[in-house]
Amino acid sequence: MADGGCNSSLRLPCVFSPKSRQYLASFAQDGRLRIWNTDSKILHQEYVPSAHLSATCTCIVWGPCRIAKEGPRRKKRKSEAGHVEDLADLLALGTVAGSIIIYSAVKGALHCTLDGGHNGGVNCVEWHPEDGLLYSGSDDSYIVEWDLQTSKTRCKWKADRASVTSLCVSPDGKLLLSAGQTIKMWDLKTKEVYRKFTGHSTAVTNLRFATTRPPDSNGLYFLSGAAHDRLISVWQVQKDSNDKNSVVSFTLTDDPQHIDLFTSNSKEEAVRLAVVCKDGQLHLFEHFLNGPCKKPLSPSCTVQMSGLEDIPVPVPLLAAALTADTRSLLLAYGSYLQPVMERLVSVLPCLFLFNIHALVFQVKTPVVNAKSKVIVPGLPGHQAPVKAALGSEKRKKGTDTKEMSIEERLGEIDLSLKKGGVKETPSLQTDNFAVLLVQGLESKDANILNNVFQTRKDNLIKKTVSRLPIPAVLPLVEELTKRMQGHPYTAVLMVRWLKAVLMQHTSYLSSLPDLVSQLGVLYHMIESRVKMFHKLTKLHGKLYLLMTQVRLGTSCFHCTVNSSATTKYSTRETRRLEFALKDEPDLWSSTIFWGVLADFL
């Protein structure tokens, strides 16, 4: 079970305690650490670091639960005499100053401070499950192993050429994952690289082990999430293979900010995953990890909190935690200064139970009034208006219920100004372009695709591609490849779309197992054009020098004719030559040009 979190500097850290989920630790804008009790929903403790304004907190991670020996003791009851409870005690706080603060929730005071290990800000902290060790990654590209008993550095080594943005220790404590420019798996005993994985084009912000199996059994999996990436990638550590590509992908609506999961202990047990995205939505997944899966997996359930206003306003989620009970979910939302904690019971009955073949729900028709707003699934901007009605009315006979076809809708959309008109028709919005593009790719309608692809605005193309669902990316690339083989003008427009696709969805395309076969035509076409570009560049340079000499030769010829007209030619012949050059000035230069060009070719 993931019990900690590492967050980017743009998002404040907020994480539930492990196992019992009794506490929520959050770091607000005022630089104070607050620990909330999730049962009573009141503030349990508050801690103000000495340098809370200059050395702000970048990440918070709960340590493994342990038997707490500190703190006031009370006389136990007879029923509690044989019961020993593991409590969530220590918290590790990384700061931008390079130090790490260890706070004890049981004592309610500072435990120790770890200094002198990093020259840059701490981006991530990870606890060892058993040995009382702590690992930290920093902007100085180093990983430091700390001994909490002595509060000193035990080992330090360079992990990457860039910043270390995320860390994760395996459940058995033998392996360590680190993320910088690439994802590396380290052997903690020898501090050597065990495996390397590539696939993310941006900084990796989340790393989690998904299974507890040993790496030599081909059953060890881990997942990763990156900034500006709407995917969670799952990687398999194979014994006799060095495959660096991900095997499974989970689709999201925005950047992953907080991840919590229950690991799988065997092939018959599925991985349960809860992901809070940057847009404030929560996505729940469950999947049996048993080899690669070509298609990206959609969430089993999505949760979005909203207020009680007349017009519902989405409330962003801060963190989420899975509980041992599969029917409940613990959420934190609202403000970091005063988060609201709520335990949702029976969000979806039997959400994570696949052995039930049929689920029966009691369906109740909602009452829609004038103040209600219905939100339907789909792309933004592609929602049919819902008419409010207090009661059900029977459909009148003879009424025309025929809907407009796509061609009729396109006929009413004018993408440019009418010729000679005064009023300007509003252009399509970005979400409408995304909807039309998805419809055109699914129906293979040339009219829809032509209306979408004719735009030249780079910003509009970028936003349209970023709003596309993941399953539509590969059909879009295939359509762009086919159109690039046509007219040169069309190819120039398609290059703009292809550039936007590669910038937005590189991580997804690189995770496809059969990428070479699917994009082979595009690769060969780009390779052939790159080879021809060198020859055309040389030809362009020679033609430029040739035209420069032609222009110089024309001016010299004018001077020669004017100066020697009285000696070599008569006045009448000179005037005829001047009139000929005046009427057709490019006649002489074009004749020389095409002659030299013929000799060159």
Side-chain angles (χ1 to χ4, degrees), residues 440-455:
L441 293 174
E442 291 179 352
S443 61
K444 299 185 181 301
D445 194 322
N447 295 329
I448 299 179
L449 296 176
N450 291 336
N451 280 279
V452 175
F453 286 147
Q454 70 180 1
T455 180

Side-chain angles (χ1 to χ4, degrees), residues 198-211:
T198 57
H200 290 290
S201 58
T202 55
V204 177
T205 56
N206 292 278
L207 286 174
R208 294 288 183 274
F209 276 95
T211 59

Side-chain angles (χ1 to χ4, degrees), residues 81-223:
H83 178 69
V84 178
E85 183 180 4
D86 291 344
L87 298 178
D89 182 16
L90 297 181
L91 270 167
L93 286 71
T95 64
V96 296
S99 60
I100 301 173
I101 300 173
I102 307 298
Y103 179 81
S104 176
V106 174
K107 296 187 299 183
L110 178 67
H111 181 74
C112 66
T113 302
L114 307 178
D115 291 321
H118 293 292
N119 297 325
V122 177
N123 296 322
C124 49
V125 179
E126 187 70 17
W127 292 83
H128 194 279
E130 298 175 355
D131 296 341
L133 301 176
L134 190 70
Y135 298 91
S136 60
S138 171
D139 289 334
D140 58 7
S141 70
Y142 279 89
I143 298 177
V144 177
E145 183 182 63
W146 302 89
D147 189 350
L148 293 182
Q149 294 182 356
T150 61
S151 300
K152 294 182 179 180
T153 302
R154 185 176 178 181
C155 183
K156 181 178 180 179
W157 69 95
K158 188 174 180 62
D160 208 293
R161 292 177 295 178
S163 302
V164 179
T165 56
S166 185
L167 293 174
C168 185
V169 180
S170 61
D172 58 2
K174 297 180 180 180
L175 300 174
L176 174 68
L177 285 173
S178 70
Q181 292 183 346
T182 59
I183 301 176
K184 296 180 181 179
M185 179 175 289
W186 302 85
D187 187 345
L188 288 179
K189 186 176 181 179
T190 61
K191 304 299 186 296
E192 295 180 354
V193 178
Y194 181 74
R195 287 282 194 280
K196 288 185 180 181
F197 304 89
T198 57
H200 290 290
S201 58
T202 55
V204 177
T205 56
N206 292 278
L207 286 174
R208 294 288 183 274
F209 276 95
T211 59
T212 58
R213 310 165 208 169
D216 55 355
S217 63
N218 292 338
L220 183 61
Y221 293 83
F222 70 91
L223 55 88

Side-chain angles (χ1 to χ4, degrees), residues 48 97 122 139 170 211 309 316 326 574 582:
V48 183
V122 177
D139 289 334
S170 61
T211 59
E309 298 85 358
T326 57
T574 303
K582 183 178 180 181

Side-chain angles (χ1 to χ4, degrees), residues 503-522:
M503 292 178 62
Q504 297 289 334
H505 302 285
T506 303
S507 299
Y508 165 67
L509 293 175
S510 61
S511 64
L512 297 176
D514 51 351
L515 178 65
V516 177
S517 60
Q518 293 179 349
L519 303 181
V521 178
L522 177 62

Side-chain angles (χ1 to χ4, degrees), residues 428-503:
L428 284 177
Q429 298 179 357
T430 306
D431 48 5
N432 293 334
F433 263 94
V435 172
L436 289 177
L437 183 56
V438 172
Q439 291 178 350
L441 293 174
E442 291 179 352
S443 61
K444 299 185 181 301
D445 194 322
N447 295 329
I448 299 179
L449 296 176
N450 291 336
N451 280 279
V452 175
F453 286 147
Q454 70 180 1
T455 180
R456 298 183 180 180
K457 299 179 180 179
D458 294 334
N459 191 24
L460 182 60
I461 294 174
K462 182 179 178 180
K463 291 183 178 181
T464 303
V465 173
S466 64
R467 295 197 177 193
L468 281 181
I470 295 298
V473 174
L474 192 58
L476 175 60
V477 174
E478 295 175 352
E479 181 66 25
L480 294 176
T481 304
K482 183 173 65 175
R483 288 174 175 261
M484 287 178 65
Q485 300 175 3
H487 195 274
Y489 176 77
T490 306
V492 172
L493 295 178
M494 296 306 103
V495 168
R496 297 184 177 182
W497 285 88
L498 184 61
K499 177 183 177 182
V501 171
L502 295 179
M503 292 178 62

